[in-house]
Amino acid sequence: MAIQWYPGHMTAARKKAAEAMASTDVVIEVVDARLPEASTNPMVRELRLQRQRPCLKVLNKADLADPEVTQAWLAWYRRQDGMRALALSCRRPGEVARLPALCRALAPHRADNTKPLRMMIMGIPNVGKSTLMNVLLRRKLAKVGDEPAVTRAQQTSQLDIANWLTDTPGLLWPKIEHASDGLMLAASNAVGRNAMLEEEVAGFLAGLLLARYPQALARRYALAADALPALDGVAVIEGIAKRRGLLLRGGLVDREKASRVLLQDYRDGLLGRISLETPATRSAMLQTSEAPTVAD
C-alpha cells in the first residue's frame, strides 16, 4: 500500500505560505532528526528557492535519533549552499533560544536592525513546529498535540523588537514519490491513521530495526538475540504479541495490537535512539529508484 495523505486544508496552507514567503527573510525548516530527508517537504524547498530565501534546517527530536547518524546528516546539510543546520530537542529551551541569532547570520541585510528579522517556520505535520514557536515565545500560543495536522492556520508573533516569527500549518506534498518515505513518515506519526495500515507500517519498521538496531528489539521485548537474524518483520510483530500476551481467541496472536505497541514504543523513544535513514542509505535508495528498468 502506497501511503499518501494530503488533506484539503493543506492546499490553502501552501498558498498562504507562498504569499508569506515574499516578506520572509529566513525559512526555519523543521524536520524529524530520525528521518531528515524523508521528512523534508520538496514544496518547502521549491517555495524558498523561488524567492531565494536562505534556510536554517532544524533537526528536531534529536534526543530520539542516533547521535552518530545525526552528526553525519549535519555535515551533509552544511555542504549545501544557502543553508545552515543544527540538531536540537524542543525539550531543551536553551538550544531553541539560539535560533534567532543563527537566522540573523543568514540574513546579513538585517544586521543594522532598521527592520525586524522575519522568520517563518515550515515543515511537515508533527515535527514540532508549534512547540518550537511556543518555546521561542516563552508562552503557549500555538496549539500542539501528538498527532498530525493540529495547526490549521498561519499565525505571526513578535519575539521582540528585532524578531518576528510566523508559524505555518504542517504541509505534506500531494504525492510521496518513494514508498519507503511514506512508511517512515507513517511510523513517525506524520500522517493520519486513515492513510495507513498499521500492520504494514509496523512490519516495515520491524524489518528496518532488525537490519540496523537488532539489540533494541532484543532488549525491549526480551527476544532472543541469536534468533533475530532468522526473523522478518512479521515474525518480530508476532514475537512481540507473544511476549506481551496479546492474543486473540484460540490463542492466535493479535498482530494489530502488537503493531501499535511497536509503533508507539518507537515514537516515544522507548527503543532507544533510532535513526531510520542515513546519508548513505538515502543515496542508495535514490540510486535504486533512479536506475533504469530493463524491458523483457
Side-chain angles (χ1 to χ4, degrees):
M1 174 185 176
I3 293 175
Q4 306 291 344
W5 190 60
Y6 194 68
H9 76 275
M10 289 188 181
T11 299
R14 183 194 184 281
K15 183 178 179 180
K16 289 286 187 182
E19 292 171 354
M21 189 72 70
S23 57
T24 295
D25 296 309
V26 178
V27 173
I28 300 174
E29 184 179 10
V30 184
V31 298
D32 190 322
R34 298 167 296 180
L35 52 150
E37 275 298 283
S39 60
T40 291
N41 186 338
M43 291 197 305
V44 173
R45 182 184 293 117
E46 176 187 342
L47 289 174
R48 70 176 184 81
L49 290 180
Q50 283 177 353
R51 291 286 183 176
Q52 298 181 319
R53 298 302 190 250
C55 177
L56 178 63
K57 181 85 74 166
V58 174
L59 280 63
N60 191 26
K61 306 185 182 181
D63 55 325
L64 301 177
D66 185 324
E68 291 186 7
V69 175
T70 297
Q71 288 304 310
W73 278 116
L74 289 175
W76 190 84
Y77 283 120
R78 287 167 181 166
R79 290 194 292 268
Q80 299 183 24
D81 293 335
M83 180 178 292
R84 293 191 66 172
L86 78 158
L88 55 74
S89 168
C90 286
R91 299 174 184 175
R92 299 168 183 162
E95 297 178 354
V96 178
R98 301 169 53 203
L99 296 187
L102 293 172
C103 288
R104 190 163 292 276
L106 286 167
H109 62 292
R110 295 294 182 215
D112 58 6
N113 289 325
T114 57
K115 290 185 178 180
L117 176 71
R118 298 161 301 184
M119 300 165 284
M120 184 160 66
I121 301 176
M122 301 187 74
I124 69 168
N126 212 27
V127 288
K129 300 182 303 302
S130 295
T131 301
L132 188 75
M133 184 167 186
N134 289 340
V135 173
L136 283 170
L137 291 169
R138 299 181 184 177
R139 64 184 188 275
K140 189 174 181 179
L141 177 68
K143 185 179 179 181
V144 299
D146 186 24
E147 58 181 297
V150 171
T151 300
R152 294 296 185 99
Q154 186 172 289
Q155 53 188 328
T156 300
S157 302
Q158 185 177 10
L159 296 183
D160 52 46
I161 195 170
N163 297 287
W164 286 81
L165 185 66
T166 297
D167 182 30
T168 61
L171 284 174
L172 282 173
W173 50 107
K175 182 179 180 180
I176 299 173
E177 183 177 355
H178 307 293
S180 59
D181 284 356
L183 290 164
M184 285 189 280
L185 290 168
S188 303
N189 207 21
V191 301
R193 288 182 63 181
N194 60 338
M196 62 174 165
L197 297 174
E198 289 181 315
E199 286 187 44
E200 179 185 9
V201 176
F204 166 83
L205 177 61
L208 190 151
L209 294 171
L210 276 173
R212 301 183 202 166
Y213 300 97
Q215 71 282 2
L217 290 171
R219 181 176 59 249
R220 179 66 181 168
Y221 303 112
L223 301 174
D226 57 353
L228 289 177
L231 302 182
D232 61 10
V234 174
V236 168
I237 300 299
E238 292 177 347
I240 293 171
K242 292 174 183 177
R243 285 293 185 181
R244 295 293 175 88
L246 303 174
L247 304 176
L248 300 168
R249 288 183 179 180
L252 297 175
V253 296
D254 191 333
R255 287 203 295 263
E256 183 178 351
K257 285 186 178 179
S259 295
R260 290 176 182 169
V261 166
L262 177 62
L263 290 172
Q264 197 61 51
D265 283 354
Y266 159 71
R267 293 166 182 170
D268 292 342
L270 298 178
L271 291 165
R273 300 182 69 173
I274 304 293
S275 290
L276 300 188
E277 62 174 353
T278 72
T281 61
R282 185 74 187 178
S283 176
M285 184 275 289
L286 292 176
Q287 289 177 7
T288 300
S289 66
E290 293 170 359
T293 56
V294 179
D296 292 336

